């Protein structure tokens, strides 16, 4: 398996950012770590090995990125608005720096064919993947979110500003009427999965809210609730990601 490590300066964040790329060709997938996790967490938690048959066959190429959780959603020093404004800088890094590079590399690696990105993550990574997918749907065609929350309530409570609103899908999607966005969602594949075991209560609640919202918006989605023994943990996410990615390729 080809594995490349990158450390690049971000002009939006004014710091170096690290990521790893696994594979040589295939569907591009961008994955986010869990809360306070790093770019190497996906590999360390077995997910790369779980997906290795697709990577080695040239069907899947994975970009595993870093986040800024310690400066944004999980900062213990900044107020809510400072946290979310720092996240806005991270949003620009992902959308204006990392993703253009993914699209360029993926086109080269797939014989000049334009690609759209599968975006995914577990737990906090599921929040990130869903938030980026719904806010910027035109570069993605697939979302696989495992055990996520889909609002900012978990991080900011009842605090709401315009910027927080834009990062809280359960708040802005009910009011979204732009057909360009709605049609982009409807033409994509949306998969939300959550267990019903330990530490999944908040994720279950918000998955059900998002399921109802997508239904009311006539946005097709696959929403799966795994068993009562399925906990909020990597062994189950390994099983789930293999199942869902295999079904998408």
């Amino acid at each position: 398996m080809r594995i490349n490590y990158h450390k690049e300066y971000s002009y939006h964040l004014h710091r170096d950012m690290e990521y790893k790329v696994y594979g040589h060709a295939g569907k591009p997938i961008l994955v986010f770590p869990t809360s306070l996790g790093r770019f190497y967490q996906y590999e360390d938690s077995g997910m790369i090995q779980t997906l290795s048959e697709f990577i080695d066959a040239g069907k899947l190429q994975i970009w595993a990125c870093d986040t800024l959780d310690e400066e944004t959603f999980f900062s213990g020093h900044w107020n809510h608005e400072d946290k979310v404004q720092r996240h806005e800088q991270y949003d620009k890094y992902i959308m204006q720096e990392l993703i253009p590079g993914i699209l360029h590399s993926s086109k080269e690696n797939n014989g000049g064919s334009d690609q759209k990105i599968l975006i995914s993550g577990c737990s906090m990574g599921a929040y990130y993947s869903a938030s980026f997918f719904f806010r910027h749907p035109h570069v993605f065609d697939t979302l696989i979110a495992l055990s996520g929350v889909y609002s900012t309530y978990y991080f900011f409570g009842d605090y709401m500003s315009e910027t927080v609103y834009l990062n809280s899908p359960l708040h802005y999607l009910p009011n979204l009427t732009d057909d360009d966005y709605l049609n982009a969602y409807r033409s994509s594949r949306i998969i939300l999965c959550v267990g019903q075991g330990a530490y999944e209560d908040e994720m279950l609640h918000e998955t059900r809210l998002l399921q109802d919202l997508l239904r009311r918006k006539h946005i097709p989605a696959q929403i799966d609730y795994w068993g009562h023994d399925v906990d909020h943990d990597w062994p189950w996410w390994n099983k789930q990601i293999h199942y869902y990615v295999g079904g998408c390729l």
Side-chain angles (χ1 to χ4, degrees):
M1 181 189 302
R2 181 189 299 173
I3 303 175
N4 291 311
Y5 163 78
H6 299 262
K7 184 175 184 178
E8 299 171 351
Y9 184 78
S10 166
Y11 292 94
H12 286 101
L13 297 174
H14 306 293
R15 55 169 283 180
D16 289 328
M17 293 295 287
E18 297 171 274
Y19 62 95
K20 292 182 82 169
V21 184
Y22 303 86
H24 60 280
K27 181 70 177 175
I29 171 172
L30 173 62
V31 298
F32 296 86
T34 63
S35 54
L36 300 169
R38 296 296 311 281
F39 66 95
Y40 45 77
Q41 183 192 54
Y42 212 70
E43 179 179 353
D44 289 353
S45 300
M47 301 290 263
I48 297 301
Q49 180 60 38
T50 291
L51 297 172
S52 61
E53 64 181 281
F54 308 123
I55 300 170
D56 292 339
K59 296 180 178 180
L60 188 69
Q61 192 171 21
I62 298 178
W63 276 257
C65 68
D66 252 340
T67 61
L68 294 180
D69 284 347
E70 72 282 357
E71 300 177 29
T72 58
F73 296 105
F74 293 94
S75 170
H77 306 289
W78 295 3
N79 64 41
H80 289 335
E81 198 58 30
D82 288 340
K83 292 177 186 180
V84 77
Q85 289 300 330
R86 183 60 168 161
H87 175 71
E88 283 295 286
Q89 294 173 334
Y90 178 72
D91 180 280
K92 290 181 173 62
Y93 158 70
I94 292 292
M95 296 307 304
Q96 299 179 28
E97 298 182 52
L98 185 59
I99 281 180
I102 294 174
L103 294 174
H104 176 77
S105 296
S106 187
K107 183 174 182 177
E108 285 189 339
N109 296 338
N110 290 283
S113 174
D114 286 318
Q115 302 288 312
K116 285 193 172 184
I117 297 170
L118 188 164
I119 191 166
S120 185
C122 312
S123 191
M124 185 65 184
Y127 162 78
Y128 277 118
S129 60
S131 183
F132 278 103
F133 172 85
F134 286 115
R135 190 171 177 185
H136 309 284
H138 300 97
V139 297
F140 308 111
D141 63 6
T142 308
L143 165 67
I144 302 177
L146 307 178
S147 298
V149 295
Y150 305 108
S151 76
T152 54
Y153 182 80
Y154 183 82
F155 316 111
F156 300 137
D158 292 327
Y159 177 80
M160 185 61 60
S161 66
E162 180 179 359
T163 310
V164 172
Y165 177 85
L166 291 173
N167 288 283
S168 189
L170 284 176
H171 284 96
Y172 67 73
L173 285 174
N175 303 316
L176 184 65
T177 59
D178 188 324
D179 284 336
D180 192 37
Y181 278 76
L182 293 172
N183 289 333
Y185 304 150
R186 291 167 184 152
S187 64
S188 297
R189 185 165 189 175
I190 299 172
I191 298 170
L192 307 177
C193 173
V194 64
Q196 299 178 71
Y199 309 110
E200 289 280 55
D201 290 348
E202 290 170 327
M203 295 73 188
L204 269 168
H205 175 65
E206 295 215 345
T207 298
R208 291 183 177 120
L209 292 176
L210 186 53
Q211 178 180 20
D212 182 63
L213 173 55
L214 295 175
R215 178 187 57 79
R216 288 187 280 112
K217 289 286 186 179
H218 306 290
I219 299 169
Q222 179 178 346
I223 318 291
D224 289 341
Y225 299 90
W226 287 37
H228 291 278
D229 61 337
V230 178
D231 299 336
H232 190 87
D233 204 358
W234 287 104
W236 285 107
W237 296 331
N238 271 269
K239 295 176 187 293
Q240 292 162 0
I241 198 64
H242 186 274
Y243 175 76
Y244 291 118
V245 167
C248 289
L249 298 179

